[in-house]
Amino acid sequence: MADHRETLASALRDQIIQGVYAPGQKLSEQTLARDLDTSRNTLREAFRVLSEQGLVDHVPNRGVSVAAPATADVVDIYRARRTIEGGVLAGASPLHPGVDRMREAVERARSAADESDWAVVGTANMAFHAAIVLLADSARLQKVHGQLLAELRLAFLALGDAHGLHAPFLSRNARILELMVGDGPKAAADELERYLIDSERAVLGAYARLGRD
Amino acid sequence: MADHRETLASALRDQIIQGVYAPGQKLSEQTLARDLDTSRNTLREAFRVLSEQGLVDHVPNRGVSVAAPATADVVDIYRARRTIEGGVLAGASPLHPGVDRMREAVERARSAADESDWAVVGTANMAFHAAIVLLADSARLQKVHGQLLAELRLAFLALGDAHGLHAPFLSRNARILELMVGDGPKAAADELERYLIDSERAVLGAYARLGRD
DNA sequence: AAACCCAAACTGTAGAACAATCGTTGCGCA
DNA sequence: TGCGCAACGATTGTTCTACAGTTTGGGTTT
């Protein structure tokens, strides 16, 4: 087992994002270390990374558990998304290569929707918004935004509903892209702002229906 | 030694930010563990946190060293700052309590400048921009922005010049605040954008003069 | 001077051990 | 029965030791 730690954190990250461990689930050091065939020390190092990324909650003396975003977290995440995605889009050029990535994501989402593959639709949806951030040419913004989306994915996992939360917004991504190319960044950013507000509302509504904190 | 790790990372963070360890300096696990009276394992956990925060560089099999932002990093950091600070300010209310924090920071910088305490001026300057982000009411944005400023502080440390990089911009913070209250968020955000462009230029200029990569 | 090789130093990882803390169980008492 | 409380067991926090794999620096050889 060579470069464990580097791999371990990202492997765990993928598993968490894909729902292998449910949001809120306790991650025992002993059990996980045994299952992942690694030592507690190495595992704990990976935990620090994931904790810093907001994917796991770490409570002193009580270990770590998969993050389970509360309503307040969802609100916070969407605030950050509006600032970052909105700011980037408003200040970007419609000629930036990242726009092609946006287009690709839209098409991927569309064809996945045709086949009713809602998991892929959700992934493509997020890829669209990640592509928006590409327009800023900032590695740091990309990283941060990726972490926001990862946290949000946990919220979706907790809701267990990919269809209802992504499908209605599919066409609006296309609309944003259309505005970006046709009417310029400002118009696109305005639509994005509305999109994010509505999306947030949908998630919060689902949370409320589930009676989450 | 009780709650070491939680404390350790933030203690190390403070030391790094205050220049106890020079940017680029190698941080030996053995040496540091001995000096800080902790174990290698615990220290390594702290390293993961700092690495994730961008304050130290971690190269596999070669250990960690204090981050030494290159020109490309400075550019990246300022891109992120323009997006975040600009986006927050443009969308904020002049009546938000955070505006008072901005005012306090301006006054602190002013009185420190009167006493030629440039270190405090620098800190107050950064506090002003941190206060801007407060206007978003987003813990995540605050955290990210704080990490950007911390990284930038390393750049300033590498340049070893607090006066030349902060003094010229002192009055412009006041101007931004004035515009925010008087002419509204949009005008303030426009001035902030210009401020950040000029500030970036100043840092990059100093980098070029020092012949840094 | 350049290429090569070797030994020392350091990092990466594992594992055992023990203290500190938390949760729970079960007992005693009202 | 119900409540408080103490002891127990399990888990985390931290340290230490050990060793394999890499890097580094120096010396040797060509």
Side-chain angles (χ1 to χ4, degrees), chain A residues 193-204:
Chain A
E193 169 97 8
R194 286 188 291 273
Y195 169 107
L196 287 174
I197 287 175
D198 292 343
S199 171
E200 176 183 7
R201 189 173 302 162
V203 176
L204 291 180

Side-chain angles (χ1 to χ4, degrees), chain B residues 2-4 38-39 41-42 62:
Chain B
D3 58 335
H4 248 180
T38 185
S39 72
N41 286 332
T42 304
R62 260 187 271 184

Side-chain angles (χ1 to χ4, degrees), chain B residues 83-154:
Chain B
T83 297
I84 293 177
E85 292 185 33
V88 169
L89 193 59
S93 158
L95 302 176
H96 192 287
V99 175
D100 296 332
R101 296 288 132 68
M102 293 167 64
R103 199 186 320 276
E104 289 164 18
V106 166
E107 284 160 8
R108 219 177 317 143
R110 228 178 226 145
S111 64
D114 288 344
E115 301 175 14
S116 301
D117 188 344
W118 301 113
V120 171
V121 170
T123 302
N125 191 1
M126 291 195 168
F128 175 81
H129 291 271
I132 289 179
V133 179
L134 282 180
L135 303 177
D137 291 315
S138 166
R140 282 165 183 76
L141 279 181
Q142 273 176 62
K143 182 181 175 188
V144 166
H145 184 259
Q147 290 176 1
L148 290 175
L149 290 192
E151 276 195 84
L152 204 50
R153 204 183 277 260
L154 289 183

